[in-house]
Amino acid sequence: MKKTNLIILLVVLLGGATYMGYLSQIGTPATAAPVSAPSELPDFTLNDINGKATSIHEVAGEKPTLFIYFNSTCHLCQEELGELSKRIEEFKDYSIILTTVQPLDEMIDFATGLGIKEKNNVHFLLDTNMEVASFLQIRSVPSIYCYDADKQLVAEYVGITKIDLLLEKLGG
């Protein structure tokens, strides 16, 4: 009986330690994923928040570009974009393109809530037909891509990523 209790106790302790290790990883910054996205910023034409057909390359211009594929109901996306919006002034020299497949009214509500909808360098684009999602092979959100001024991929992340790391990659 004591031997059985000891085995059960060891299994519970080992399981608990494993679970605690897992919990400690939740919310940690994402690490750079192996670069698997196409090496150049895609140039699809998508509707912006006002319903205007807009080229991704056109809104990126000749600036380093932060491209984020998100879903406003995703708590990780809410956290990531909330942190980004708090430090939006630090991104004034970069283009920011936020893309989703969500209905337009949900995207507008989310953009309004972030308080960055009216920033000249921030562009919300709707990927209605999931063209960009398919092209980039989006598997999880937020999916974050940093491109240089030549529209070449510098870094790719999935999940919550430290704002300082994004600024570092964009400033390259």
Side-chain angles (χ1 to χ4, degrees), residues 36-94:
S36 61
S39 62
E40 187 174 337
L41 178 67
D43 190 23
F44 289 94
T45 297
L46 305 173
N47 286 339
D48 69 10
I49 206 160
N50 299 312
K52 177 185 169 203
T54 305
S55 158
I56 291 174
H57 278 198
E58 180 183 317
V59 295
E62 295 183 12
K63 296 180 178 181
T65 300
L66 179 63
F67 186 95
I68 301 177
Y69 209 95
F70 75 98
N71 184 309
S72 68
T73 62
C74 161
H75 74 281
L76 297 174
C77 298
Q78 293 167 356
E79 186 174 333
E80 182 73 31
L81 296 178
E83 288 301 312
L84 176 72
S85 69
K86 289 177 191 172
R87 296 180 59 185
I88 197 66
E89 291 306 316
E90 294 176 64
F91 288 86
K92 69 182 181 309
D93 296 328
Y94 310 115

Side-chain angles (χ1 to χ4, degrees), residues 111-164:
T112 302
L114 288 173
I116 60 174
K117 186 175 82 168
E118 303 302 325
K119 295 287 183 184
N120 289 333
N121 65 322
V122 178
H123 309 277
F124 287 86
L125 301 178
L126 187 60
D127 187 21
T128 308
N129 297 322
M130 296 186 70
E131 295 169 303
V132 177
S134 295
F135 183 77
L136 293 175
Q137 300 178 18
I138 302 292
R139 291 179 291 278
S140 183
V141 289
S143 287
I144 303 168
Y145 306 89
C146 297
Y147 294 92
D148 63 17
D150 296 323
K151 299 176 181 51
Q152 296 301 304
L153 184 65
V154 176
E156 171 185 358
Y157 304 95
V158 175
I160 296 174
T161 307
K162 289 189 177 280
I163 300 300
D164 290 333

